Amino acid sequence: MITLYSAIDGQLLALIEASWLGSMRTGAASALATLHLSRPESSVVGLIGAGNQAMTQLMGMCAVRQVTDVLVYCRNQHEREFFCQQMQRRLSITMHAVNSIQQAVESADILITATTAGEPIIDGNWLQPGCHINAIGSNWAQRRELDSRTLQRCAIISTDSLEQAHIEAGDLLIPIQEGNLRWDDVYELASIINGEGPQRELPEDITLFKSLGVALEDIATAAHVYTLACQQGLGEEIDLLS
């Protein structure tokens, strides 16, 4: 559960189920990164993973780009085919269940990795010029989804929290330990959005957003949900004192 409190008087305002909200805010963060870092004409999405996080990631992409085709891979053939059927109905876009990660990556304008991989599943040599990557899985210091070649090819590397990335972003920590990346080359997404950080310059630039998820994103989303619920008369009022 997410407990939302008033910043004015500390009053408990709402108890909100956290799982779906967490998936939605993670998808929204990637959508924001995609809006600012991907090429405006990006239309083909490569998606590695077919769980709840993959669903909201794809919803986020469709909110900011005119997505026409999605190439989906996960290890279970039945799951990836079911996911494609489900999302094609939900989003009215063409979904393709592919048989390898490489197939999903090679044609992608936007690549999403939403897995629990311990070792790299993405070979940086597969990426086409101009690709934007949202890496949202494997948030442990000793695990990663991307190989070091991927990081070396990126013109812009961003994350939602540098402080948190120092603790748990194996996709960044391991290349840094190998000497293939420096923290000075990693920027917070907020700095890119407000114009202080680097901006995409060339159509062939490859860009990366390493999503970690921070509490501020939960608060902002919960506040939005609470406001809408109040406006629409939704939810159940609870008397905690009785």
Side-chain angles (χ1 to χ4, degrees), residues 6-79:
S6 167
I8 297 174
D9 58 11
Q11 178 184 353
L12 177 61
L13 300 176
L15 300 171
I16 305 174
E17 188 278 332
S19 180
W20 180 245
L21 186 145
S23 294
M24 289 293 289
R25 62 88 158 146
T26 306
S30 292
L32 191 60
T34 301
L35 178 65
H36 287 272
L37 289 173
S38 72
R39 291 176 294 124
E41 67 273 20
S42 297
S43 61
V44 178
V45 174
L47 178 56
I48 315 301
N52 286 336
Q53 291 286 357
M55 180 187 301
T56 53
Q57 287 291 310
L58 187 53
M59 292 167 64
M61 299 309 101
C62 291
V64 297
R65 290 290 181 255
Q66 293 295 317
V67 176
T68 59
D69 292 271
V70 183
L71 309 172
V72 180
Y73 176 81
C74 76
R75 289 176 294 182
N76 185 298
Q77 181 180 351
H78 173 74
E79 287 182 6

Side-chain angles (χ1 to χ4, degrees), residues 75-104:
R75 289 176 294 182
N76 185 298
Q77 181 180 351
H78 173 74
E79 287 182 6
R80 64 178 179 258
E81 291 176 350
F82 178 77
F83 179 86
C84 286
Q85 294 168 5
Q86 185 183 35
M87 298 309 291
Q88 188 158 313
R89 287 195 300 268
R90 180 187 287 260
L91 298 173
S92 299
I93 54 178
T94 303
M95 304 287 298
H96 308 273
V98 298
N99 295 319
S100 71
I101 294 175
Q102 186 171 351
Q103 280 182 275

Side-chain angles (χ1 to χ4, degrees), residues 110-140:
I110 300 167
L111 174 64
I112 302 164
T113 57
T115 77
T116 57
E119 299 294 332
I121 58 171
I122 304 300
D123 183 332
N125 295 312
W126 297 340
L127 300 167
Q128 69 164 326
C131 180
H132 170 68
I133 308 162
N134 294 312
I136 75 156
S138 295
N139 286 342
W140 294 272

Side-chain angles (χ1 to χ4, degrees), residues 3 7 21 24 28 30 44 51 68 82 86 93 95 100 106-108 117 124 135 151 161 172 191 201-202 204 211 232:
T3 52
L21 186 145
M24 289 293 289
S30 292
V44 178
T68 59
F82 178 77
Q86 185 183 35
I93 54 178
M95 304 287 298
S100 71
E106 286 180 330
S107 301
L151 279 292
S161 168
L172 306 178
S191 72
E201 295 181 356
L202 302 173
E204 60 266 28
S211 174
Q232 299 175 24

